[in-house]
């Protein structure tokens, strides 16, 4: 559909090509002498592989791996605006994008409590639907295996002692009961030592990590193994 829209917009034939395939297709692109540059977005393990093989073939390679982007919320932030931004950043595209914002770091208990209270009605109002539903805020995750993976991470967070404030597991969309849908989920009191914080969940799951001060909050994204961006709300 993307390619069709490109042509409808007047794009020249052949400039944009959409090719479906697995590792065999990827290797063909990485090895082909007529292709001089490659850009990749995906898991860190595959990013390393693409980078090594592409460079060995003499190509320019841009390889972007896993991400765990943070949003720091200062005490003077406009909480209503923060919640509006977080609703899209954390849950849009079902959280399946490298610039999603799955971790929010409120500075101070008062900020954290106000943010949590404001998030609950916003999350409750999110509409999960199919791609043709113009009113849907996001749709299903990519496949059954990934749905299970995200739900497993939610359970891991619970087992590690984080507070599951909103549980999106077991969500069912009428008429699409076999779809790979996950409702929006919210954790509070997540600790940096938890595996569910350390790894990329890549789903509609927002984690609240409370920080006592700005310096502590700022250390979190700097010390995390993953990260493409940081936002500061102030």
């Amino acid at each position: 559909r993307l390619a069709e829209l490109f042509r409808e917009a007047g794009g020249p034939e052949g400039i944009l090509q959409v090719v479906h395939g697995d590792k065999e297709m990827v290797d063909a692109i990485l090895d082909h002498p007529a292709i001089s540059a490659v850009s990749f977005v995906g898991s860190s393990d595959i990013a390393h592989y693409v980078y090594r093989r592409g460079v060995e073939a003499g190509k320019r390679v841009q390889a972007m791996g896993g991400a765990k982007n943070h949003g720091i919320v200062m005490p003077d932030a406009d909480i209503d605006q923060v919640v509006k931004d977080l609703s899209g950043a954390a849950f849009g595209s079902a959280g399946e994008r490298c610039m999603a914002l799955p971790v929010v770091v409120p500075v101070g208990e008062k900020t954290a409590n106000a943010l949590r209270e404001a998030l609950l009605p916003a999350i409750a109002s999110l509409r999960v639907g199919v791609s043709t539903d113009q009113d849907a805020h996001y749709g299903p995750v990519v496949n059954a295996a990934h749905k299970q993976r995200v739900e497993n991470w939610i359970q891991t967070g619970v087992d590690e002692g984080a507070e599951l404030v909103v549980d999106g597991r077991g969500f069912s969309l009428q008429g699409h009961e076999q779809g790979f849908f996950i409702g929006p989920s919210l954790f509070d009191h997540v600790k940096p030592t938890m595996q569910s914080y350390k790894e990329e969940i890549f789903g509609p799951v927002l984690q609240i990590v409370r920080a006592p001060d700005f310096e502590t909050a700022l250390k979190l994204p700097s010390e995390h193994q993953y990260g493409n961006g940081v936002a500061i709300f102030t």
Side-chain angles (χ1 to χ4, degrees), residues 11-225:
E13 288 281 347
I15 295 295
L16 172 65
Q17 299 180 44
V18 180
V19 182
H20 295 276
D22 52 15
K23 182 179 181 296
E24 183 178 358
M25 183 62 69
V26 172
D27 288 346
I29 291 171
L30 292 173
D31 297 340
H32 201 290
I35 298 174
S36 59
V38 172
S39 179
F40 171 84
V41 180
S43 70
S44 291
D45 289 343
I46 306 304
H48 285 298
Y49 171 81
V50 168
Y51 185 82
R52 284 197 306 269
R53 186 153 180 163
V55 169
E56 287 171 359
K59 303 182 190 304
R60 297 181 67 183
V61 181
Q62 174 180 270
M64 294 166 282
K68 195 83 174 192
N69 304 308
H70 291 59
I72 298 170
V73 182
M74 299 299 290
D76 65 348
D78 181 336
I79 294 297
D80 290 338
Q81 186 62 52
V82 172
V83 169
K84 288 178 183 177
D85 291 344
L86 282 178
S87 295
F91 303 111
S93 300
E96 293 185 310
R97 55 187 178 196
C98 57
M99 290 308 298
L101 203 159
V103 178
V104 62
V105 187
V107 175
E109 288 299 303
K110 184 178 179 180
T111 309
N113 292 336
L115 177 65
R116 170 172 166 164
E117 184 178 348
L119 274 170
L120 291 176
I123 290 174
S125 69
L126 290 173
R127 180 183 174 101
V128 183
V130 295
S131 60
T132 52
D133 181 356
Q134 296 296 316
D135 295 322
H137 293 97
Y138 72 86
V141 296
V142 64
N143 56 33
H146 188 60
K147 177 185 177 184
Q148 186 62 56
R149 179 180 180 275
V150 173
E151 292 183 342
N152 289 346
W153 274 121
I154 293 173
Q155 185 59 50
T156 297
V158 173
D159 295 341
E160 291 178 316
E163 180 188 357
L164 183 56
V165 183
V166 181
D167 188 353
R169 294 173 297 180
F171 180 89
S172 180
L173 185 65
Q174 186 175 0
H176 301 273
E177 286 78 10
Q178 300 304 311
F180 313 130
F181 296 96
I182 302 175
S185 299
L186 176 67
F187 275 104
D188 194 3
H189 301 289
V190 175
K191 304 299 182 185
T193 54
M194 295 178 177
Q195 202 64 29
S196 57
Y197 166 78
K198 294 179 180 180
E199 298 294 336
E200 183 180 28
I201 296 176
F202 212 62
V205 182
L206 178 61
Q207 296 173 301
I208 299 176
V209 180
R210 298 178 177 225
D213 50 57
F214 177 64
E215 289 71 23
T216 303
L218 202 59
K219 283 183 180 179
L220 291 170
S222 299
E223 294 176 351
H224 202 285
Q225 64 174 333

